[in-house]
Amino acid sequence: GVIILVQLVAGILAFIFSDEAIKDGHNGFLTALARYNTSDSSTTRGVNWLQKHLDCCGIQNSADWRIEADKAKIWIKSHINDVPDSCCKRLRNQWNPTPGCGLGQALGNSEAIHNGGCYVKMVSWLQTYMPMMGVFCLVFLIFEAAVIVVVFLMRNQAEELTHPVRLN
């Protein structure tokens, strides 16, 4: 019973604070750009994975790699006109882009890289699939409640079978 209540509250809070989460995502991405290719390799892997799998580059667009240079730690300052190779479009039958393909690509729109931003794609993905996830969670919550009711009824029936009521 308590678990279902916690799930219900969590679902309601997720719905209420979804706009706040989207804003936090933007700020988190800014931080990730600043930390790119520093000693925090998990951030670098995360940014590369996101850009590679969403076919995007930067937050709003590929120019973010150049704009954020003044806030950056190491990589962006030494690669002021570059974007990571994870921004590059892949050739057919090639999973990884050509090494060095991002050099000089932060200057403007380029055919070699994905110019659209990752933030816009992430928000779009969330807005597309969030209602479906909400419906799934609601159905799962109803299923859990039904299972609890069935278990309760079966327990009562088993109790009646083991301790029958005697009429005198």
Side-chain angles (χ1 to χ4, degrees):
V2 174
I3 292 174
I4 290 178
L5 184 61
V6 169
Q7 286 176 327
L8 184 62
V9 170
I12 291 169
L13 290 175
F15 179 74
I16 291 172
F17 292 109
S18 61
D19 290 338
E20 196 70 29
I22 289 172
K23 289 177 193 169
D24 287 345
H26 187 270
N27 294 336
F29 210 113
L30 281 172
T31 303
L33 286 184
R35 290 183 181 165
Y36 186 82
N37 219 17
T38 60
S39 60
D40 187 2
S41 63
S42 63
T43 299
T44 301
R45 284 193 310 268
V47 169
N48 284 337
W49 185 92
L50 191 66
Q51 292 185 145
K52 189 176 182 180
H53 287 80
L54 289 182
D55 295 332
C56 58
C57 189
I59 301 167
Q60 299 299 330
N61 56 46
S62 59
D64 291 330
W65 286 100
R66 185 175 180 155
I67 293 167
E68 296 300 320
D70 60 329
K71 302 173 191 166
K73 304 271 190 277
I74 297 171
W75 190 84
I76 298 177
K77 284 187 179 185
S78 62
H79 292 85
I80 197 156
N81 293 324
D82 303 336
V83 297
D85 290 346
S86 58
C87 286
C88 297
K89 294 178 181 176
R90 295 181 299 273
L91 302 174
R92 284 189 181 182
N93 302 324
Q94 183 182 9
W95 176 243
N96 290 316
T98 306
C101 62
L103 298 175
Q105 300 296 331
L107 299 173
N109 285 345
S110 168
E111 293 295 318
I113 63 170
H114 298 286
N115 291 296
C118 296
Y119 178 73
V120 173
K121 286 197 173 191
M122 282 179 10
V123 169
S124 173
W125 186 89
L126 286 172
Q127 288 173 338
T128 300
Y129 293 104
M130 203 58 109
M132 189 179 352
M133 287 188 276
V135 168
F136 174 76
C137 289
L138 182 61
V139 167
F140 187 70
L141 188 66
I142 292 168
F143 174 74
E144 283 181 315
V147 167
I148 289 173
V149 168
V150 168
V151 167
F152 180 74
L153 291 173
M154 288 176 65
R155 191 188 109 215
N156 284 346
Q157 188 176 23
E159 207 170 274
E160 288 175 7
L161 291 174
T162 56
H163 303 296
V165 178
R166 294 185 185 163
L167 299 173
N168 292 344

